[in-house]
């Protein structure tokens, strides 16, 4: 089950042997989140390359605002608006517009222009906040809450993307409130752990609290591990590392292929859904890099490189007149690429950035309507001339991050 279907809404391991020794000072420095209260990371000035991408990001963001903006700082789900569309987008698409504003604010030379827009998105994000879900903890509902909407179920991955945006916001702007919210959301994710030992492949974080699904997904576990590791770097709390390792090991045991790539999910009978989505490959790359920085164990970094290379090889294969990567939703590819850029901020190299630039160039040329600035994906979208808001937001993210100075890619979630 993937987010393609998502918008309509259909004892912890010990860490006694883990140390925080540094096997390479540069690795830990590059992979670690910036401590609270530290001075902002130095950013190099714009270059001709970053300026070009930043201009494209600005144009694409202007189209996002022109065609999708609604009242209260929210967005509509798609353009043109359908007869049965709700007034506002679901939370998962909104969160990606929020992240787009965050990424715009990091662009070399021009990011400061988007600080007010980022603040507006952070305020509007709270319109999805719900005081308690089925586990009794607060989080973000799948739709805006009263008085603007009727709320909805909690999806753990929806909440994880917001928590990771919070942690990126803190890394960029030193904001304790963002860390506090990420803590609340991590507690929510932990509460979604499957504790029924009678289930096939017992354990794992469920995808959603909605009663119609009991799947446990790569995307509900690996981002959870990523949040816990970032929080552990900031606070040193042992339980964050323990829970992250628990999520990491469960996902590797039940959903990772021998070549390093990850299946999507499994159900309570142990049946595995084997689709290889791009975002499910990107997040484990950062999880392994973070584990290497925290534990000082090189094999985690080697595993991050192995997964990234396997994914690049897999998605680089041709399918008809396009690559497998082009067949992936752009909102999965934005997450995928940003995690690979973060790895290259540690290991060096340009393979993944070059692939990201090639994808962005190809998509700009073939999927964008120059009259509107809107991107459309899929054969049906081309026929109907319809763009999903989350698709536009994802392309803003990709273009904006290409407009960052590469020395700041370590701040990406």
């Amino acid at each position: 089950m993937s987010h393609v279907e998502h918008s309509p809404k259909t004892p912890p391991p010990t860490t006694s042997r883990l140390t925080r020794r540094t096997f390479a000072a540069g690795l830990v420095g590059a992979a670690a989140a910036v401590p609270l209260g530290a001075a902002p990371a130095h950013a190099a000035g714009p270059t001709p390359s970053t300026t070009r991408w930043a201009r494209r990001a600005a144009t694409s963001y202007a189209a996002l605002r022109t065609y999708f903006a609604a009242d209260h700082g929210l967005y509509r789900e798609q353009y043109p608006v359908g007869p049965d569309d709700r007034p506002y987008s679901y939370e998962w698409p909104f969160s990606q517009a929020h992240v787009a504003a965050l990424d715009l604010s990091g662009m070399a030379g021009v990011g400061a222009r988007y600080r007010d827009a980022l603040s507006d998105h952070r305020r509007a994000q709270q319109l999805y906040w719900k005081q308690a879900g089925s586990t009794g903890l607060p989080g973000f509902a799948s739709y805006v809450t009263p008085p603007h909407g009727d709320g909805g179920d909690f999806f753990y991955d929806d909440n994880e993307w917001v928590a990771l945006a919070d942690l990126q916001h803190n890394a960029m702007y030193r904001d304790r409130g963002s860390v506090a919210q990420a803590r609340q959301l991590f507690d929510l994710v932990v509460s979604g752990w499957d504790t029924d030992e009678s289930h096939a492949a017992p354990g794992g974080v469920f995808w959603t609290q909605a009663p119609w699904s009991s799947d446990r997904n790569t995307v509900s576990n690996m981002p959870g591990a990523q949040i816990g590791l970032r929080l552990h770097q900031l606070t040193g709390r042992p339980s964050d590392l323990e829970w992250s390792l628990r999520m990491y090991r469960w996902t590797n045991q039940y959903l990772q292929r021998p070549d390093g790539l990850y299946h999507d999910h499994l159900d309570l009978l142990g049946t595995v859904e084997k689709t290889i989505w791009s975002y499910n490959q990107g997040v484990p790359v950062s999880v392994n890099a973070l584990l290497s920085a925290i534990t000082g164990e090189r094999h985690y970094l080697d595993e991050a490189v192995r997964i990234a290379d396997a994914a690049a090889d897999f998605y680089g294969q041709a399918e008809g007149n396009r690559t497998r990567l082009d067949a992936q939703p752009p909102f999965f590819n934005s997450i995928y690429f940003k995690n690979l850029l973060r790895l290259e901020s540690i290991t060096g190299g340009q393979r993944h950035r070059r692939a990201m630039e090639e994808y962005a160039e190809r998509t700009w040329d073939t999927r964008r309507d120059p009259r509107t600035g809107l991107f459309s994906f899929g054969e049906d979208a081309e026929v109907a001339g319809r763009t999903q808001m989350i698709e536009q937001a994802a392309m803003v993210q990709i273009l904006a991050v290409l407009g960052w100075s590469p020395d700041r890619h370590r701040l990406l979630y």
Side-chain angles (χ1 to χ4, degrees):
M1 188 174 300
S2 81
H3 266 118
V4 171
E5 306 163 3
H6 197 299
S7 291
K9 289 306 180 200
T10 64
T14 180
T15 60
S16 60
R17 291 183 294 174
L18 297 179
T19 70
R20 300 193 61 151
R21 68 187 182 279
T22 301
F23 69 88
L27 170 62
V28 175
V34 179
L36 290 175
H42 170 73
T47 67
S49 176
T50 60
T51 298
R52 177 171 174 267
W53 292 116
R55 286 173 179 163
R56 289 184 171 188
T59 298
S60 301
Y61 177 68
L64 177 72
R65 296 297 304 168
T66 297
Y67 293 99
F68 297 98
D71 54 12
H72 305 295
L74 298 168
Y75 287 91
R76 292 183 288 272
E77 188 84 1
Q78 61 182 351
Y79 178 84
V81 177
D84 299 322
D85 285 0
R86 305 183 81 176
Y88 308 114
S89 76
Y90 288 92
E91 195 281 333
W92 151 241
F94 180 84
S95 73
Q96 297 311 292
H98 174 182
V99 173
L102 179 60
D103 290 344
L104 286 164
S105 76
M107 294 191 301
V110 296
R113 300 175 188 174
Y114 296 94
R115 299 283 179 85
D116 288 344
L118 174 58
S119 296
D120 292 342
H121 283 77
R122 286 173 59 77
R123 282 191 294 270
Q125 181 74 65
Q126 300 306 312
L127 300 180
Y128 294 88
W129 186 258
K130 186 176 177 180
Q131 289 303 315
S134 64
T135 64
L137 295 177
F140 291 100
S142 60
Y143 194 66
V144 288
T145 54
H148 305 296
D150 54 6
D153 294 301
F154 285 179
F155 285 73
Y156 290 108
D157 57 335
D158 283 7
N159 282 274
E160 287 164 342
W161 302 129
V162 180
L164 288 168
D166 284 336
L167 291 167
Q168 180 176 319
H169 188 268
N170 174 66
M172 295 170 69
Y173 300 116
R174 317 300 184 261
D175 176 39
R176 292 177 179 272
S178 293
V179 178
Q181 180 168 277
R183 163 66 58 200
Q184 285 185 292
L185 296 177
F186 185 64
D187 290 344
L188 172 67
V189 171
V190 168
S191 78
W193 185 264
D194 175 23
T195 59
D196 191 335
E197 294 294 324
S198 70
H199 292 160
V205 177
F206 287 108
W207 182 45
T208 177
Q209 295 181 358
W212 45 262
S213 174
S214 55
D215 297 332
R216 293 153 294 165
N217 294 49
T218 296
V219 78
S220 53
N221 284 274
M222 279 296 187
Q226 191 174 8
I227 296 163
L229 293 171
R230 295 289 294 271
L231 288 170
H232 179 75
Q233 288 181 314
L234 289 168
T235 68
R237 187 178 298 187
S239 62
D240 294 336
L241 178 56
E242 291 164 358
W243 272 109
S244 294
L245 283 167
R246 196 173 190 179
M247 295 171 194
Y248 170 81
R249 290 167 177 165
W250 182 91
T251 312
N252 286 351
Q253 180 176 353
Y254 295 112
L255 289 170
Q256 190 178 27
R257 305 191 328 182
D259 63 358
L261 301 182
Y262 288 83
H263 298 305
D264 188 61
H265 70 266
L266 55 75
D267 62 21
L268 295 184
L269 299 178
T271 302
V272 176
E273 205 292 305
K274 296 184 177 181
T275 304
I276 306 299
W277 296 112
S278 57
Y279 69 163
N280 283 339
Q281 320 317 314
V283 175
V285 168
S286 282
V287 170
N288 277 283
L290 288 165
L291 281 169
S292 188
I294 290 168
T295 67
E297 296 181 15
R298 176 76 192 203
H299 70 88
Y300 287 119
L301 186 62
D302 292 340
E303 177 68 358
V305 172
R306 183 176 82 98
I307 296 167
D309 287 346
D313 292 343
F314 178 85
Y315 290 117
Q317 295 180 36
E319 289 190 343
N321 60 356
R322 59 182 181 176
T323 68
R324 284 177 171 172
L325 187 67
D326 295 316
Q328 292 284 302
F331 42 90
F332 290 0
N333 288 343
S334 58
I335 294 167
Y336 166 74
F337 276 125
K338 288 193 282 185
N339 282 281
L340 297 187
L341 288 187
R342 192 167 186 277
L343 175 64
E344 286 187 333
S345 74
I346 301 167
T347 62
Q350 290 284 316
R351 179 187 186 184
H352 302 304
R353 182 180 175 90
R354 284 196 299 268
M356 186 177 182
E357 289 176 333
E358 290 167 2
Y359 171 80
E361 194 74 56
R362 202 163 54 242
T363 305
W364 181 271
D365 290 342
T366 63
R367 294 295 190 182
R368 178 179 176 272
D369 183 343
R371 298 170 303 164
T372 62
L374 296 178
F375 294 87
S376 294
F377 296 84
E379 300 307 317
D380 291 341
E382 291 173 3
V383 172
R386 179 159 291 167
T387 300
Q388 301 299 311
M389 187 273 281
I390 192 173
E391 296 171 338
Q392 190 74 17
M395 290 308 304
V396 173
Q397 291 180 37
I398 288 170
L399 297 166
V401 169
L402 288 172
W404 282 34
S405 172
D407 63 335
R408 289 174 59 84
H409 288 159
R410 65 186 176 84
L411 303 180
L412 291 166
Y413 73 81

